[in-house]
């Protein structure tokens, strides 16, 4: 099983930092190092200063560390205080409050077994960040319980970049089976681990652009890795749960066809201070109530406010 976590990604201790507003590459930044805290909280933020990108900007520490590209009009100004979006969905605040209420028990699989909760708390920060990335790579198309089991088996072997590179492919495949697409993941994990050893001294890169350039690492994984491993909110992590629920609630101007499209549409209007919360909140909601098939609309506090409730 994964290590018990004191908090989910939603509670990552982070600061609001003006950097890149777009879905495009974000970079690491400088910041305080005075708090030697766990990776998932202050430590992630402090460790997040190290960057392999040349671009570094610093803003005063606040609660969230959000990376985005400032528009021309925002540059040099208090870009964290942005104007309201031109469009926002009707009733979204009440719908969000209702989901928070339904999720208040924090008893969904993602709350205990999510990929971002599966690293070894006693390992050095660099190793923990690698384990975060690896658990995210394993998690795609895979239930949290299966990812957690694979991570447990890998950690029992001593899960580091070196141990993975020294392991033969069939052993690695045996350890991670039955995660989805496990054969491809063996290949991607080996390739990514070799790159991390060669270019990053065994650590993971601290920018979104470098993360998504790694084999087998997609945008959702990269955004979660930035948040969990580095304490930086670089964008909204959208998986199939988030994609489905956002469309059911009509949280985009028009229906979206892919998680990436959903992410872009959400980031156009959702206040940035909510970006880090939305993934864990909606994933758990999708696991427990707004199921892919036969959602439990009768038990959902949003039933009266949900455009999809009567069509499912
Ligand atoms: S009413 Fe049904 S479809 Fe709408 S959010 Fe709730 S569970 Fe999902």
């Amino acid at each position: 099983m994964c290590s018990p976590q004191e908090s989910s990604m939603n509670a990552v201790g982070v600061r609001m930092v003006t950097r890149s507003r777009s879905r495009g590459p974000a970079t690491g930044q400088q910041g305080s190092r005075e708090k030697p805290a766990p990776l998932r909280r202050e430590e992630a933020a402090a460790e997040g200063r190290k960057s392999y990108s040349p671009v570094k900007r610093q803003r005063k520490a606040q609660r969230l560390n959000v990376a985005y590209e400032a528009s021309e009009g925002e540059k040099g100004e208090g870009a964290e205080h942005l104007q309201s979006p031109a469009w926002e969905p009707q009733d979204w605040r009440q719908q969000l409050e209702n989901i928070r209420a339904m999720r208040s028990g924090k008893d969904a699989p993602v709350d205990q077994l999510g990929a971002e909760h599966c690293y070894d708390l006693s390992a050095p920060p660099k190793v923990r960040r690698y384990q975060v990335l690896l658990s995210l790579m394993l998690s795609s198309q895979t239930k949290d319980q299966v990812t957690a089991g694979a991570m447990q088996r890998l950690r029992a072997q001593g899960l580091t970049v070196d141990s993975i590179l020294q392991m033969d492919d069939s052993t690695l495949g045996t350890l991670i089976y039955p995660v989805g697409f496990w054969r491809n993941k063996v290949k991607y994990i080996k390739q990514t681990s070799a790159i991390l050893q060669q270019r990053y001294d065994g650590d993971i890169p601290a920018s979104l652009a470098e993360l998504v350039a790694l084999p087998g690492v997609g945008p959702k994984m990269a955004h979660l890795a930035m948040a969990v491993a580095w304490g930086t909110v670089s964008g909204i992590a959208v998986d199939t749960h988030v994609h489905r629920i956002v469309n059911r609630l009509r949280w985009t101007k028009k229906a979206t066809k892919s998680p990436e499209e959903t992410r872009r549409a959400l980031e156009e209007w959702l206040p940035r201070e909510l970006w880090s919360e939305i993934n864990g909140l909606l994933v758990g909601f999708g696991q427990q109530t707004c199921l892919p098939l036969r959602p439990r609309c009768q038990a959902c506090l949003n039933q009266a406010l949900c455009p999809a409730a009567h069509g499912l």
Side-chain angles (χ1 to χ4, degrees):
M1 285 297 176
C2 298
S3 303
Q5 302 296 302
E6 295 169 1
S7 65
S8 69
M9 175 200 160
N10 305 342
V12 170
V14 285
R15 289 143 301 175
M16 179 78 80
V17 174
T18 302
R19 288 187 296 137
S20 59
R21 187 187 182 187
S22 75
R23 305 83 201 159
T27 58
Q29 63 245 205
Q30 297 293 329
S32 167
R33 288 180 180 277
E34 69 270 20
K35 293 182 180 177
L39 188 72
R40 60 195 177 282
R41 283 177 172 264
E42 291 80 356
E43 182 180 75
E47 290 284 343
R49 299 330 124 240
K50 185 171 65 172
S51 172
Y52 299 90
S53 165
V55 180
K56 294 180 180 178
R57 295 185 187 177
Q58 181 175 358
R59 288 194 66 81
K60 190 175 181 180
Q62 296 184 19
R63 284 206 71 216
L64 286 176
N65 189 18
V66 179
Y68 61 92
E69 289 174 7
S71 67
E72 286 303 314
E74 295 166 358
K75 287 176 182 173
E77 300 177 4
E80 59 271 39
H81 303 296
L82 298 173
Q83 293 179 342
S84 296
W87 176 90
E88 62 181 20
Q90 192 179 7
D91 299 324
W92 74 270
R93 290 183 189 278
Q94 185 59 53
Q95 291 165 335
L96 181 65
E97 277 308 310
N98 289 340
I99 294 171
R100 284 177 175 146
M102 288 184 276
R103 293 279 289 115
S104 61
K106 300 276 184 222
D107 51 2
V110 69
D111 297 315
Q112 300 299 323
L113 303 170
E116 67 272 34
H117 300 315
C118 292
Y119 57 83
D120 181 358
L121 291 170
S122 63
K126 191 158 77 173
V127 173
R128 278 184 269 168
R129 286 190 285 271
Y130 174 65
Q131 293 182 356
V132 167
L133 182 64
L134 215 64
S135 66
L136 289 166
M137 293 176 72
L138 293 173
S139 71
S140 77
Q141 305 291 314
T142 304
K143 287 186 180 300
D144 289 337
Q145 294 88 336
V146 175
T147 301
M151 283 298 293
Q152 185 183 29
R153 293 188 292 277
L154 287 172
R155 284 170 47 189
Q157 306 288 315
L159 181 52
T160 65
V161 168
D162 287 341
S163 74
I164 288 294
L165 290 175
Q166 287 163 13
M167 194 179 289
D168 62 72
D169 287 5
S170 71
T171 302
L172 180 54
T174 301
L175 290 171
I176 69 171
Y177 181 85
V179 300
F181 302 101
W182 62 273
R183 288 187 181 85
N184 284 340
K185 287 177 182 175
V186 167
K187 184 175 64 179
Y188 292 144
I189 287 169
K190 282 292 186 78
Q191 291 172 346
T192 286
S193 298
I195 292 169
L196 297 183
Q197 188 184 59
Q198 290 161 13
R199 299 186 196 165
Y200 300 99
D201 191 29
D203 207 336
I204 71 170
S207 81
L208 190 72
E210 291 167 294
L211 283 165
V212 294
L214 296 169
V217 178
K220 183 206 77 171
M221 299 174 209
H223 285 302
L224 285 174
M226 287 296 292
V228 177
W230 293 115
T232 294
V233 180
S234 53
I236 301 172
V238 176
D239 69 351
T240 55
H241 289 293
V242 178
H243 173 63
R244 177 181 71 256
I245 294 164
V246 161
N247 274 277
R248 284 177 177 174
L249 291 172
R250 309 288 194 264
W251 277 9
T252 56
K253 249 189 236 181
K254 57 178 184 175
T256 53
K257 293 189 172 67
S258 69
E260 261 305 274
E261 192 184 348
T262 301
R263 181 184 63 78
R264 289 192 292 270
L266 260 187
E267 288 179 0
E268 284 179 6
W269 66 268
L270 189 72
R272 288 186 182 83
E273 60 267 28
L274 301 177
W275 286 12
S276 66
E277 176 188 8
I278 216 72
N279 177 271
L281 192 69
L282 294 191
V283 169
F285 181 52
Q287 291 174 334
Q288 294 183 308
T289 307
C290 197
L291 307 175
L293 299 174
R294 292 189 287 280
R296 297 171 179 150
C297 300
Q298 297 294 331
C300 179
L301 297 178
N302 278 329
Q303 188 179 20
L305 294 174
C306 178
H310 305 291
L312 295 169

